Amino acid sequence: LQYFDELDEAQQTGLLNQIEALDLSLLDLIKDGVKEVPKGKLAPLGAVTLGEIKEKKDTYKKRGLEAIRQCQVGAVLLAGGQGTRLGYDQPKGTVNIGIEHDIYIFECLMKNLMKVTDEAGVPVPLYIMTSVSNNRDTIEFFEEHKYFGYDRSYVKFFKQEMVPTVDFKGRVLMASETELAMAPNGNGGWFSSMVVDGMLEDVHKRGIEWINVFAVDNVLQQIADPLFIGATLASGCESGAKVVRKAAPDERVGVLCTEDGRPSIAEYYEMTDEMATARKENGDLLYGFGVILNYLFREDKLEEIADRHMPIHVVEKKIPYMDEKGNRVKPEKPNGYKFETLVLDMVHMMNDCIPYEVVREKEFAPIKNRDGVDSIDTARELLRGNGVLL
Ligand code: UTP
């Protein structure tokens, strides 16, 4: 409140309202140091492998296309993140990764989706999650680019909720004299945000029974993939997850397995060395399939869990803030915590989940960092490998 007296009445009221809306119980999570939620008993979970998919290709595809044509499948694009590692001020989806000509991340995703909808002959309803801070820019971008040729009546935007950020001592950070430094509440809240923002009416009206949720930053993301849909439906499971075979035992990916008998994703640091290196008789890793943030959930099951409490993860991030002297600081290294729920915890709330193997080089080109691994350069290389002209 250092600058409170310098503010006009409306600004003062605005700031007080923000303070009043703060969920200060979040601070309990860091009171005694940051602790991750302990995992239960982990066990391996077999996947539908590439070999099996090849064998049943026609059956899966037919079933998936049927579901799409009957409008049973909707898609949710998670685009509410702040992309701090990439360090781009605009929504990540608006990054132009082209060289000879413009090609935007959002455009790659829409083109991938349109490959499916062209074949099915119907559009797939697409819900785009934005945050309070990037909502307007995202909508304007889609408008400006005419939805990249997609039927705009099938696209809806919704906003996720924001939570406060704190420094390492637990002090709430300010963005300016009048605003707290808020951040989106993680990608786990996507379905409850859809409910809060009134999307369910549309979901029901269209008769959507399955939702394919995916990340914005994988430019090779295959959306509403008929084979994946068909395989998940055929499995009788409540959810499915696209997975890639781990490149090495110590690869830093979350592995799909079971935890106390329910599906779960174990992060690399949650596995013992023994588990990470254990192999089956045929030499394959026992915990051998990593998730790529592309899931299919039964819609009625999502409604069942929508009100349930999700674990909140405390994550160290670079958070732009205003210091005591009123300077705007853009930190070069992590300076505080964000509080996030994660979509992977939703998988654990399902009774079952079928891991569906995909070829990494064809479906996984994430853009997370400015350079090095998972950067624009590595994604470009992978796009070229798939015949995309840049
Ligand atoms: P990341 O975990 O990579 O987070 O998001 P991020 O915020 O985009 O990037 P960094 O960590 O700050 O560099 C994975 C996916 O989840 C979405 C992102 O947009 C991305 O598609 N996401 C993440 C949200 O939609 N909301 C969030 O609050 C966080």
Side-chain angles (χ1 to χ4, degrees), residues 77-86 92 129 160-161 183-188 214-217 293 317 338 340-342 368:
L77 162 55
L78 301 175
Q82 290 181 310
T84 45
R85 281 171 287 174
L86 191 63
K92 209 190 239 188
M129 181 161 88
Q160 69 176 117
E161 285 120 82
N185 62 351
N187 58 26
F214 61 94
V216 69
D217 44 33
L293 220 173
K317 294 259 179 170
K338 283 188 187 172
E340 298 190 331
T341 57
L342 301 178
K368 299 277 186 195

Side-chain angles (χ1 to χ4, degrees), residues 59-233:
T59 325
Y60 288 161
K61 189 159 183 186
K62 188 164 170 275
R63 190 136 184 211
L65 282 174
E66 250 166 43
I68 293 171
R69 290 187 181 123
Q70 287 166 13
C71 200
Q72 290 170 357
V73 184
V76 173
L77 162 55
L78 301 175
Q82 290 181 310
T84 45
R85 281 171 287 174
L86 191 63
Y88 184 65
D89 280 343
Q90 291 296 304
K92 209 190 239 188
T94 66
V95 172
N96 184 355
I97 56 168
I99 296 168
E100 303 278 316
H101 65 279
D102 295 342
I103 176 157
Y104 304 95
I105 293 182
F106 279 140
E107 184 176 3
C108 293
L109 299 176
M110 296 311 286
K111 281 194 167 151
N112 293 347
L113 175 58
M114 281 192 281
K115 268 190 249 150
V116 174
T117 55
D118 284 351
E119 185 173 9
V122 293
V124 165
L126 174 67
Y127 304 88
I128 302 179
M129 181 161 88
T130 62
S131 71
V132 171
S133 35
N134 72 14
N135 178 269
R136 187 199 290 229
D137 288 338
T138 306
I139 297 177
E140 276 177 11
F141 186 80
F142 271 89
E143 288 285 336
E144 189 189 325
H145 293 276
K146 306 204 167 23
Y147 292 74
F148 300 101
Y150 205 65
D151 183 341
R152 65 203 294 166
S153 67
Y154 280 77
V155 183
K156 281 193 176 297
F157 299 87
F158 66 100
K159 285 188 215 149
Q160 69 176 117
E161 285 120 82
M162 306 285 275
V163 284
T165 57
V166 297
D167 70 8
F168 290 135
K169 290 185 179 148
R171 294 177 303 193
V172 176
L173 291 167
M174 302 287 293
S176 68
E177 289 82 352
T178 56
E179 278 174 313
L180 305 182
M182 304 291 280
N185 62 351
N187 58 26
W190 66 273
F191 191 73
S192 46
S193 295
M194 277 182 85
V195 177
V196 172
D197 231 354
M199 295 293 119
L200 229 47
E201 202 187 316
D202 193 72
V203 168
H204 290 160
K205 196 178 72 194
R206 295 185 189 272
I208 292 170
E209 293 177 14
W210 290 89
I211 296 187
N212 180 205
V213 60
F214 61 94
V216 69
D217 44 33
N218 172 10
V219 284
L220 283 178
Q221 191 81 260
Q222 299 303 305
I223 305 147
D225 174 352
L227 272 96
F228 176 40
I229 297 166
T232 307
L233 262 60

Side-chain angles (χ1 to χ4, degrees), residues 228-301:
F228 176 40
I229 297 166
T232 307
L233 262 60
S235 74
C237 288
E238 297 174 353
S239 61
K242 284 204 165 185
V243 292
V244 290
R245 212 168 269 262
K246 269 177 77 169
D250 58 355
E251 194 191 359
R252 295 177 157 214
V253 289
V255 166
L256 192 53
C257 55
T258 63
E259 177 187 352
D260 299 330
R262 301 177 76 83
S264 181
I265 288 142
E267 291 295 350
Y268 65 93
Y269 53 82
E270 292 172 318
M271 311 240 304
T272 60
D273 277 354
E274 199 185 324
M275 286 162 83
T277 52
R279 292 189 183 267
K280 295 194 251 182
E281 266 174 23
N282 66 1
D284 288 350
L285 289 172
L286 202 54
Y287 294 87
F289 292 103
V291 287
I292 58 168
L293 220 173
N294 188 323
Y295 302 102
L296 190 66
F297 290 105
R298 235 172 75 182
E299 198 276 334
D300 58 340
K301 293 287 155 189

